[in-house]
Amino acid sequence: MIEYDVVIIGGGAAGFFAAINVAEQNPELKVAILERGKEVLTKVKVSGGGRCNVTHAEFIPKELVVNYPRGEKELLGPFHEFMTGDTIEWFEKRGVELKIEDDGRMFPITNSSQTIIDCFLNEAKKHGVEILMNHSVKTIKKEALFYKIETSQSDFLSKKILVATGSNPKIWKLLEELGHTISQPVPSLFTFNITDERIQDIPGVVALNVEVKVLETNLWSEGPLLITHWGMSAPSILKLSAFGALELAKRDYKFQIEINFIRKSFEDCLAILKVLKHDLAKKAVFKSTQFDLPKRLWHKLVLASNMNMVTRWADLNKNQLEDLSNQLTSAIFNVEGKSTFKEEFVTAGGINLKEVNFKTFESKLHENLYFAGEVLNVDAVTGGFNFQNAWTSAYIAAKNISK
């Protein structure tokens, strides 16, 4: 039986951040990380296309929390204690400089996730954190003042444990055995599978500012929309998938969306088209792209409005004008399923938030049992927000563990 003061289960972003901060704040403590795989920080490695989207340049707690479909209310307090500015400072003090991109996402200036991994491994080594690979946790039991952890290789005793295993059903099961409730996990952050003539053969086309609604729900979002080989993606779609994770799972990912490609009402659009009918009378509608839309998308929407490639503006009848206005402002598409967004698979679900004290990230059911990151029922939209939750929860838990 190997004894530690603190055992951290999970060698990912939250686990490392917690371990390093515990060991740094209280060098007396003997700290170990148990990782089930043969490598640590695998999700950090692939995040942001291998560049690691460390956080997001949003510095007001109230505005940061709106990016969390689950956890918005609970994270407000913690973000007042440790958030984006603190993350930037933490990494800078350890020689890792971050940069802000136009969309607010923040990356190491090296553009390589290896920079973050090296920083964590160096800090862990410097502060004497033991990293034990290939230790798959089999049981977690409370015995008097200790937690007994049985892994595929050894048994451990520890006064305090922190669970940072992300969306791991096996660990959730063990936590259920300790009395915790798990909110049913469903996928979040996915793209929509759509087969439709209007988006066929134009992958890579981006409409910069659309509004998307899921019909028969209150779900809607706005922002860029990307047409892909299998359907639609980009922030407007990913936001819907995150905020609608539970609702869309209920519908087995088959539903209808309505897209306003130009963010104008049907009436306003129709009025503009009538002016164009007069002003561009002799030109072909197909060849005169309007509303700053990508040319290839305009072509598709024109052909979907009962016109051909040579129909002139002057020849448009009332029905064709109304059809085009409909395609531009309220095009309906059938979604027939989902695809994982890149390798950044995120799950909505995890430990019921009512069972956690968000001042310390300690379990309300068991003393000295802490949580950090996505093992909790907290998840975010894409853009560095899931990592910010990992840093904040890990830091606050570490501060309390090291006391």
Side-chain angles (χ1 to χ4, degrees):
M1 187 86 68
I2 310 159
E3 204 175 308
Y4 287 96
D5 297 305
V6 183
V7 164
I8 287 166
I9 304 173
F16 262 82
F17 205 71
I20 293 161
N21 281 294
V22 167
E24 188 178 49
Q25 289 172 32
N26 188 343
E28 311 274 287
L29 297 175
K30 201 176 159 198
V31 182
I33 292 174
L34 302 180
E35 165 55 44
R36 67 175 171 166
K38 57 179 190 294
E39 279 180 49
V40 290
L41 300 163
T42 48
K43 207 167 172 186
V44 170
K45 196 175 181 64
V46 296
S47 109
R51 297 195 299 143
C52 189
N53 183 185
V54 177
T55 185
H56 200 96
E58 175 50 76
F59 299 93
I60 300 159
K62 217 171 177 169
E63 309 212 332
L64 183 57
V65 293
V66 301
N67 296 288
Y68 296 83
R70 282 146 293 273
E72 177 178 350
K73 191 170 90 249
E74 290 79 5
L75 288 175
L76 187 59
F79 282 156
H80 276 92
E81 189 173 340
F82 189 95
M83 64 174 286
T84 320
D86 306 291
T87 300
I88 297 166
E89 190 186 354
W90 192 94
F91 281 104
E92 275 184 356
K93 273 186 181 164
R94 290 156 184 84
V96 177
E97 212 178 316
L98 304 178
K99 58 170 180 172
I100 304 174
E101 303 213 329
D102 294 345
D103 57 6
R105 293 181 305 160
M106 296 192 71
F107 295 89
I109 52 167
T110 57
N111 270 333
S112 168
S113 55
Q114 197 58 45
T115 306
I116 303 298
I117 294 170
D118 292 345
C119 167
F120 282 167
L121 293 174
N122 292 338
E123 288 294 313
K125 193 175 171 186
K126 183 169 126 191
H127 296 291
V129 173
E130 285 187 52
I131 302 161
L132 306 169
M133 290 347 160
N134 297 309
H135 278 270
S136 182
V137 173
K138 303 278 182 228
T139 63
I140 304 170
K141 294 198 168 89
K142 185 96 187 270
E143 292 188 359
L145 296 173
F146 289 88
Y147 286 92
K148 186 182 171 190
I149 302 143
E150 182 199 339
T151 77
S152 49
Q153 292 199 43
S154 327
D155 291 354
F156 298 89
L157 268 188
S158 182
K159 285 184 183 151
K160 298 180 178 185
I161 62 172
L162 178 137
V163 183
T165 44
S167 306
N168 180 333
K170 282 184 181 153
I171 300 293
W172 279 336
K173 188 112 194 62
L174 298 181
L175 292 168
E176 274 186 318
E177 286 165 19
L178 285 170
H180 274 287
T181 350
I182 305 299
S183 303
Q184 192 49 43
V186 296
S188 175
L189 281 196
F190 47 84
T191 60
F192 294 175
N193 296 354
I194 298 168
T195 310
D196 193 295
E197 186 53 46
R198 290 166 293 177
I199 59 169
Q200 215 177 335
D201 308 323
I202 57 167
V205 165
V206 177
L208 279 175
N209 189 12
V210 307
E211 188 174 293
V212 191
K213 290 179 188 159
V214 178
L215 296 181
E216 296 174 22
T217 72
N218 299 323
L219 294 167
W220 73 279
S221 77
E222 57 193 359
L225 176 111
L226 167 70
I227 292 164
T228 66
H229 287 284
W230 60 87
M232 292 179 184
S233 183
S236 62
I237 298 296
L238 294 169
K239 246 185 272 181
L240 271 187
S241 75
F243 281 91
L246 304 176
E247 182 62 49
L248 302 180
K250 264 188 229 161
R251 293 164 186 262
D252 197 23
Y253 308 103
K254 291 177 176 60
F255 50 92
Q256 287 188 314
I257 55 172
E258 180 184 285
I259 301 177
N260 187 332
F261 286 106
I262 60 172
R263 306 287 299 274
K264 292 186 189 309
S265 69
F266 171 82
E267 292 74 21
D268 287 353
C269 177
L270 192 58
I272 294 166
L273 294 178
K274 283 175 180 169
V275 172
L276 292 170
K277 175 178 158 80
H278 179 265
D279 291 353
L280 303 174
K282 290 183 175 162
K283 292 193 167 162
V285 182
F286 186 85
K287 285 192 173 154
S288 29
T289 309
Q290 300 298 320
F291 303 105
D292 291 329
L293 281 177
K295 195 184 290 177
R296 290 192 294 162
L297 178 61
W298 172 262
H299 290 168
K300 289 281 193 181
L301 297 177
V302 166
L303 295 178
S305 309
N306 293 314
M307 299 176 215
N308 58 36
M309 288 160 82
V310 294
T311 310
R312 298 183 317 158
W313 283 97
D315 302 331
L316 291 185
N317 61 34
K318 181 171 174 281
N319 286 348
Q320 287 169 314
L321 283 167
E322 286 180 357
D323 281 352
L324 184 54
S325 191
N326 261 322
Q327 290 296 343
L328 291 165
T329 62
S330 53
I332 290 175
F333 291 87
N334 294 319
V335 177
E336 305 276 322
K338 62 172 176 54
S339 292
T340 305
F341 172 61
K342 294 189 182 162
E343 54 302 283
E344 297 176 28
F345 190 73
V346 172
T347 303
I351 295 161
N352 187 327
L353 303 184
K354 291 191 172 75
E355 299 169 0
V356 179
N357 173 358
F358 279 87
K359 288 192 171 74
T360 58
F361 285 84
E362 187 176 16
S363 161
K364 286 181 180 174
L365 312 186
H366 299 286
E367 211 179 339
N368 295 327
L369 167 60
Y370 293 82
F371 306 110
E374 285 177 48
V375 69
L376 296 163
N377 186 21
V378 172
D379 63 287
V381 299
T382 180
F385 301 105
N386 280 303
F387 273 139
Q388 187 53 55
N389 164 47
W391 315 138
T392 296
S393 52
Y395 182 85
I396 293 173
K399 199 177 97 176
N400 289 281
I401 289 168
S402 60
K403 278 177 184 166

